[in-house]
Amino acid sequence: MPGAQCQLGVKNLPCNLLMDTVTAPPTGQLTMTKDTIGKCNSSNKAAVAWVDEMAKHCKPDRVYWCDGSKAERKALTAEAVEKGVLIKLNQKKLPGCYYHRSNPNDVARVEQATFICTEGQEEAGPTNNWMAPKEMYQKLRGYAAGSMRGRTMYVVPYLMGPPGSPLAKVGIELTDSIYVVLSMGTMTRMGEVAFEELGSSDDFNRGLHCMLDVNPERRFIAHFPKDNAIISVGSNYGGNVLLGKKCLALRIGSYLGRQEGWFAEHMLVLGVESPSGEKTYMAAAFPSACGKTNFAMMMPPAHLKGWKIWTIGDDIAWMRPGPDGRLYAINPEAGYFGVVPGTNSKSNPAAVEMISRDTIFTNVALTPDLDVWWEGKDGPPPKECLDWKGNRWTPDSEEKAAHPNSRFTAPMTNNPLLAPEVNDPTGVPIRGIIFGGRRSNTMPLVYQAFNWVHGVYIGATMGSEMTAAAVGGAGQVRRDPMAMLPFCGYHMGDYFRHWINMHKTIKHPPRIFHVNWFRKNGQGEFLWPGFGENMRVLKWIVDRCHARTDAEETALGWVPGPTSLDLTGMNDFSPERLERVQAIYEDEWRREILMQDELFMKLHARLPKELIFQRELLLARL
Ligand code: GTP
Ligand code: SPV
Ligand code: MN
């Protein structure tokens, strides 16, 4: 048990980090100054009635309505520290930063426990777990009943998207986790702003989160798209419980997007500013832990002076055709829940700056002077520290000090590269869409689709090695269409159809590309340096979108000519190496197309014929 291991001169360290997940701590008196804090702050009848109904069902000792104010955050943070849910980090080094450990059985998204509860199973499709809504409601309401006794039910109103945006959506999450409340406060526009946006409408997402005893046996993340409702029980980890993120913004969002003619995608959004000041906006879908945050916050190499990246979002894009025929994107989120390991001043200097204040660190290592550490951080490892489970760790330890899926929760306003357009209700016009996976072989560094349907085929057949962001299977290649396999709230075949159909509603469709930063040589080393150097690839992509650089035709699509990818200043990167990282091997591609068949066969009943034709055309070209 972690409770026994506080040593190492970390004085008075609260060691009951898991207590919040297993006991019913006293509700405690909040050190509030105003007695209105925590009281019902909405006159929305539907919201009040629903909260009341859920409170009667879950039976918390008290109901706390969040207003999203700074004073509230301060008080709730103090309460979380008092309860041992958070540890206050060294405020000299890390002002406003706190530390959290999750239950070791609860460190990532759990796809086996994630359900799409549509009326019929066919609607959810073969790539989703399904249960009939009635049955799931009954099961989860059973778990929720009385589960908040001795606890507080927090009412978390939140807005996904800039206020006033036609794409923005309101949700209310009811949770018994103070960690979720504080995280939602960073990840969304939380509090009164949501009720203002909602007005008297009853159109809001109803999300219920009960930690229960954080038991994997009773862990369910259930979506009811028709009711715009979510119930999550038995977890307290990121994507399972911050219901605005994967549950609303992607699973429910994709379902609504199909009905209403827009896209909810697992995509970063960025602006590329050229030396002349021209801004080009791009969206990119890479699977979980495959480089979105890093790409969205990229610092171009010295050689590409005058080029600059602006971040709109690092994980989710909502995109809709605008009146001018272009595709407009907003970032529905207000913060980043990003992978910590590997973050350093070389790989991601902007993130290093961003997470040096106002950040919650989850499942990293804790040093004796209340600083944080992780594999791949700047500088040498600490001589000793507590690992993510609270056990003593030294550089000789065999286990990792930080969990591979340890995360930071940081407000976007701390990102030095934040684009001011992030708050623009109309969003930004997308010129290009980039798909990419984590592939040690087969996939070249970059190629461009011949046209929209070909681009949809490239996205639909995406493969990627699985990562620590979800429980199980790490390292295995699996199909992850558009990086949406775990996040599409309906039949994947219908989702492809939606992508193909949307072309008709977008007069100026974005150009589509595929990238792979992760190709390796025979020694298992990355062939491409990645991170900031990806700017060279992005520059070619931007120039292609503006039709001002050349390309060569291959069986896969258009690729940069031998001189159109600028490699100046990359000392150890020869043109021969570029050839290897771009190589298309016929035998690898025959295997790849066979592997794609597995997904196509699963979806065959609803697979658009266009994609089968694209497969045939590719085979003919190879
Ligand atoms: P989610 O938040 O899970 O959706 O992930 P993400 O797509 O935002 O991934 P992120 O940018 O956090 O990167 C995940 C891991 O990939 C980190 O360990 C990075 O260090 C590593 N990574 C990111 N970009 C590159 C790259 O260009 N090359 C290499 N080799 N690794 C990279
Ligand atoms: C992902 O897994 O794609 C994430 C992290 O962005 S989580 O929010 O936990 O799903
Ligand atoms: Mn993600």
Side-chain angles (χ1 to χ4, degrees), residues 246 266 288 292 315 487:
K246 304 301 180 174
H266 191 200
S288 301
K292 289 183 299 300
D315 197 48
F487 308 119

Side-chain angles (χ1 to χ4, degrees), residues 109-181:
R109 281 183 297 98
V110 191
E111 293 176 8
Q112 309 90 279
T114 304
F115 284 76
I116 302 295
C117 303
T118 43
E119 268 323 307
Q121 179 160 14
E122 185 60 18
E123 202 184 346
T127 58
N128 282 312
N129 299 309
W130 175 85
M131 201 187 281
K134 206 173 146 203
E135 209 181 317
M136 187 61 100
Y137 273 129
Q138 204 170 18
K139 188 184 181 78
L140 299 192
R141 279 183 181 154
Y143 286 150
S147 75
M148 294 191 188
R149 274 200 189 89
R151 304 180 65 85
T152 300
M153 174 191 269
Y154 298 94
V155 181
V156 183
Y158 62 92
L159 176 65
M160 301 304 286
S165 170
L167 273 162
K169 297 220 174 283
V170 172
I172 303 177
E173 175 166 358
L174 307 179
T175 177
D176 56 352
S177 163
I178 199 166
Y179 170 75
V180 166
V181 178

Side-chain angles (χ1 to χ4, degrees), residues 6-26:
C6 285
Q7 327 143 341
L8 308 171
V10 184
K11 293 244 167 60
N12 301 325
L13 236 186
C15 290
N16 57 340
L17 282 173
L18 306 179
M19 295 299 275
D20 191 54
T21 63
V22 289
T23 63

Side-chain angles (χ1 to χ4, degrees), residues 244 361 460 620:
F361 292 91

